Amino acid sequence: QVKVVESGGGLVQAGGSLRLSCTASGLTFGDYGMAWFRQAPGKERGKVSCISGSGTNTWYPDSVKGRFTISRDNAENTLYLQMNSLAVEDTAIYYCAAARLGSGWCPVWSREYTYWGQGTQVTVSS
């Protein structure tokens, strides 16, 4: 049984940093492209970064480029998201997800991600 668990969320002041972690079990972690999504109240879930199985390729939307860094440790089955220069608009629940095998390393649509964690809350205060 696959299990995906995020951690590391919390309350931080604007301009601060947080590091999220996501640990996956029950799958061959290095076979999966992985992504971080976020969902703010009243908004749709959106992707904020993704990384290929080997860690060689990464992608970020313009809204977080230069502030967020995704990485992974395949030996530890763990995905990370380092978030710097946080802003109030980064407040959301952050989710870790594994891309469906055969869908590429960074599928566009959330329906192409097969395993999801329960989310971790990130709150940025002004």
Side-chain angles (χ1 to χ4, degrees):
Q1 182 178 356
V2 175
K3 188 174 182 182
V4 178
V5 180
E6 303 96 335
S7 61
L11 174 64
V12 63
Q13 286 192 327
S17 298
L18 277 177
R19 188 193 198 200
L20 305 183
S21 298
C22 167
T23 300
S25 59
L27 76 171
T28 305
F29 187 67
D31 286 349
Y32 290 80
M34 298 294 296
W36 289 98
F37 287 77
R38 68 184 179 186
Q39 187 167 21
K43 294 189 177 180
E44 291 188 356
R45 187 174 299 188
K47 188 166 51 181
V48 295
S49 63
C50 52
I51 188 168
S52 59
S54 65
T56 301
N57 300 302
T58 58
W59 172 89
Y60 307 92
D62 288 344
S63 58
V64 306
K65 195 175 294 183
R67 300 189 299 123
F68 289 12
T69 302
I70 191 171
S71 61
R72 64 191 298 160
D73 183 340
N74 286 347
E76 296 294 331
N77 282 18
T78 302
L79 178 74
Y80 301 101
L81 185 67
Q82 178 67 43
M83 305 186 294
N84 299 328
S85 303
L86 283 162
V88 173
E89 50 267 33
D90 294 316
T91 295
I93 300 174
Y94 284 70
Y95 299 90
C96 166
R100 189 185 315 278
L101 293 178
S103 296
W105 66 272
C106 188
V108 173
W109 308 109
S110 60
R111 63 177 177 264
E112 296 296 332
Y113 292 83
T114 187
Y115 301 118
W116 292 81
Q118 81 291 343
T120 186
Q121 176 71 49
V122 172
T123 303
V124 185
S125 62
S126 59

